Amino acid sequence: DAPEDLVRYGKDIEKAVLARGLRYHLEDRVLVHGNKTVVFR
């Protein structure tokens, strides 16, 4: 793959992960306990 393709793949993955994290947070599936974060799937 060309460097430009890898950058595009990375951006696509970053968008998907951010959207999932935001959804989990809004659904109260993320719990911070001390210095650890627990995510309920």
Side-chain angles (χ1 to χ4, degrees):
D1 292 322
E4 297 83 17
D5 295 332
L6 295 175
V7 169
R8 190 178 72 245
Y9 296 150
K11 287 181 181 181
D12 291 343
I13 292 169
E14 186 176 5
K15 280 190 273 186
V17 170
L18 179 61
R20 185 182 312 149
L22 181 58
R23 186 177 75 232
Y24 285 178
H25 176 71
L26 292 174
E27 294 173 352
D28 291 327
R29 297 166 118 190
V30 178
L31 174 69
V32 177
H33 183 70
N35 64 344
K36 298 184 190 264
T37 303
V38 180
V39 179
F40 298 98
R41 296 179 79 191

